[in-house]
Amino acid sequence: MKYIFALVDCNNFYVSCERIFDPSLEGRPVVVLSNNDGCVVSRSNQAKQLGIGMGVAFFKVKDFAVKHGLVALSSNYTLYADMSRRVMETLCNFTPEIEVYSIDEAFLNLSGFGDNLADYGRRIRQTVKQWTGMPVSVGIAETKTLAKIANRIAKRSPEAAGVFELTEQARIDEALAQTDVEYIWGVGIKTCIKLKRKGIKTALALRGVDAEWMRRRFGVTGVRTVYELRGISCYELEEQPPTKKGITVSRMFGRKVETVEELKEAIASYASRAGEKLRDEGLAAGTMTVFVMTSRFVEPRQRYFNSYGVNFPTATNYTPELIDYATGAVQRLYKKGFLYTKAGLILGDLVPEGKVQGNLFDHADRQKSERLMRAVDAVNLKLPDSRLIWAAEGIDQSWRTKFARRSKRYTTQWEELVEVV
């Protein structure tokens, strides 16, 4: 079957979410920061023009705030997740086949939608903007890799005006000739370096390499990239995301943590969140790895990193059980005299919760535990501002990640709705 893919990508997603509810940010250099307001993770076009790089530490660009009126905001993940949901629901009105690729990207199958695909792409773009306020770019092509390239052109070309169709051979050749290999979907830094050493510097040059040569040096993934550039689709639409192989919950602390009690509170909070994620996915975990660490930027004698792994007797998603194992691991890992900056846990060996292998020596009442978790999750879903938390998570939680510059959660909190004066 011949596919026609449209890649819809939100422009500067985090910044755009902020601008939708604060029009005063339009036309100004804006950046959104990572946890604890550490690094730049999203930039407006005006911030990019000032030379502010992605991932740069915020303290290095604070002077821009004075000289150029730079606005820096904390990450507002609740707002971003809800805006992503609204955009994806809007896109579902244009095709029954959609793959949500990331929080700000989606592939749409436009096969059979006629010949005026660019016009349809403009309609998609206009509707998303009208219904959600989100500016998007649309790239259209016969493979996902070509759609990625088309989307990049749609973002950067004034003539494209946000929509670029890459289905005609002459236009494809021209686009590939102007695309460096580092901008090809799936080509990592190491692969890029190796290709350039062989004189393969553009997508057009990569398209023309011998497939067997590519297979020997870069494996089947490299061959698929070559075929995709030739217009042969190797990646179909994934309407159902694959089952997760692991779940990680980790955070930088809002301040340095020294006591074992606070470390236990933090890891209990992370275990609670991990349990929610497991149940939301309908999964249970068979293993857990807990880690703690200090800053990497202190003297060697003040550095410490360690982890501890646990195999559960029976795969579980029961939060009290996860907390018990996690805090026990912290007790083993803790060393007095260190200032900890981060902790986290990784859940592995995930299985469907309805297919957990029983254990002859398991004395827990699993049905009772399941009912309790359903009740807790239902309350927390209905009353997010009055969440039920476990005593092990602590009350004060002064170690929590700081978001000193965070905007309001305009779409999910009644008391933070936009006020019209």
Side-chain angles (χ1 to χ4, degrees):
M1 177 182 175
K2 185 178 180 179
Y3 281 97
I4 296 292
F5 294 98
L7 175 62
V8 181
D9 186 8
C10 302
N11 300 338
N12 307 324
F13 180 62
Y14 288 179
V15 169
S16 294
C17 288
E18 301 289 351
R19 282 177 164 173
I20 290 170
F21 296 95
D22 186 358
S24 69
L25 299 177
E26 288 290 345
R28 301 173 63 184
V30 181
V31 296
V32 174
L33 306 174
S34 62
N35 292 346
N36 288 324
D37 299 338
C39 301
V40 174
V41 294
S42 183
R43 306 162 294 163
S44 67
N45 290 336
Q46 293 78 12
K48 295 175 185 177
Q49 291 167 3
L50 291 177
I52 298 175
M54 180 67 81
V56 67
F58 177 55
F59 74 86
K60 293 183 179 181
V61 298
K62 275 188 175 181
D63 291 342
F64 282 91
V66 177
K67 295 179 181 179
H68 303 284
L70 176 70
V71 178
L73 299 167
S74 302
S75 294
N76 190 341
Y77 298 120
T78 303
L79 175 66
Y80 306 155
D82 189 61
M83 289 303 300
S84 174
R85 176 188 62 79
R86 295 179 182 212
V87 169
M88 299 308 166
E89 287 182 353
T90 302
L91 293 177
C92 288
N93 288 275
F94 292 94
T95 175
E97 299 179 65
I98 179 173
E99 174 188 340
V100 178
Y101 183 66
S102 67
I103 191 172
D104 62 344
E105 290 179 284
F107 285 104
L108 281 62
N109 182 11
L110 299 187
S111 305
F113 277 69
D115 298 327
N116 297 321
L117 295 175
D119 288 342
Y120 198 62
R122 282 186 279 272
R123 181 180 160 195
I124 292 173
R125 187 170 186 268
Q126 180 182 358
T127 304
V128 173
K129 178 68 173 177
Q130 180 180 353
W131 290 9
T132 69
M134 180 64 62
V136 300
S137 297
V138 182
I140 302 170
E142 294 179 354
T143 71
K144 285 184 173 180
T145 302
L146 289 175
K148 276 277 189 177
I149 293 174
N151 188 277
R152 185 171 182 272
I153 296 172
K155 280 180 180 291
R156 289 162 174 77
S157 170
E159 292 79 13
V163 178
F164 193 73
E165 181 184 348
L166 204 56
T167 54
E168 297 178 2
Q169 193 58 53
R171 179 176 277 195
I172 293 174
D173 294 345
E174 181 182 358
L176 296 188
Q178 297 175 2
T179 302
D180 292 339
V181 288
E182 58 259 41
Y183 298 122
I184 301 174
W185 187 45
V187 175
I189 296 176
K190 292 182 179 179
T191 301
C192 178
I193 293 172
K194 292 177 181 177
L195 288 172
K196 288 192 171 184
R197 285 175 180 169
K198 296 295 182 180
I200 303 169
K201 299 181 179 180
T202 67
L204 185 64
L206 181 58
R207 186 185 70 178
V209 303
D210 179 70
E212 187 56 38
W213 178 89
M214 195 71 180
R215 186 188 303 276
R216 290 196 303 269
R217 286 163 177 77
F218 302 101
V220 67
T221 302
V223 176
R224 287 174 178 168
T225 298
V226 171
Y227 285 152
E228 287 257 321
L229 292 174
R230 294 175 182 175
I232 303 171
S233 180
C234 298
Y235 301 104
E236 296 184 352
L237 211 67
E238 294 183 3
E239 297 181 66
Q240 295 295 329
T243 302
K244 291 183 178 180
K245 293 181 171 57
I247 288 177
T248 301
V249 180
S250 66
R251 298 285 187 278
M252 295 290 293
F253 299 137
R255 61 170 176 78
K256 291 181 174 62
V257 168
E258 188 173 8
T259 67
V260 67
E261 288 78 17
E262 287 185 310
L263 267 184
K264 285 183 176 181
E265 285 183 6
I267 209 67
S269 178
Y270 302 161
S272 175
R273 178 65 184 130
E276 291 176 351
K277 287 187 174 185
L278 282 173
R279 295 188 295 274
D280 187 54
E281 297 281 342
L283 299 171
T287 64
M288 172 191 288
T289 301
V290 177
F291 66 88
V292 297
M293 62 185 295
T294 62
S295 171
R296 296 173 293 171
F297 307 107
V298 294
E299 296 180 10
R301 61 186 179 84
Q302 296 176 323
R303 294 178 201 160
Y304 175 64
F305 171 85
N306 205 355
S307 61
Y308 181 77
V310 178
N311 293 318
F312 300 138
T314 304
T316 183
N317 58 18
Y318 183 46
T319 295
E321 194 171 7
L322 296 175
I323 290 176
D324 186 44
Y325 280 106
T327 53
V330 167
Q331 187 66 51
R332 290 174 175 267
L333 295 170
Y334 176 75
K335 281 189 177 182
K336 190 175 181 180
F338 289 95
L339 297 176
Y340 298 92
T341 58
K342 186 177 183 179
L345 56 86
I346 305 168
L347 300 176
D349 288 350
L350 305 186
V351 297
E353 60 184 350
K355 298 182 179 179
V356 172
Q357 179 66 46
N359 187 325
L360 180 63
F361 301 102
D362 181 19
H363 300 296
D365 188 339
R366 297 290 168 183
Q367 291 184 343
K368 181 178 179 180
S369 301
E370 182 182 350
R371 291 196 299 271
L372 174 60
M373 290 299 94
R374 279 204 303 267
V376 171
D377 290 342
V379 170
N380 288 342
L381 182 63
K382 190 171 184 178
L383 303 171
D385 292 336
S386 304
R387 287 178 57 84
L388 298 175
I389 67 171
W390 306 91
E393 298 180 56
I395 302 298
D396 179 45
Q397 296 187 345
S398 59
W399 42 264
R400 291 185 69 87
T401 304
K402 297 293 188 294
F403 298 95
R405 301 167 177 265
R406 192 177 69 185
S407 58
K408 294 182 179 180
R409 294 160 292 181
Y410 301 102
T411 64
T412 56
Q413 303 295 321
W414 283 107
E415 66 276 13
E416 297 180 21
L417 288 175
V418 175
E419 296 181 3
V420 179
V421 180

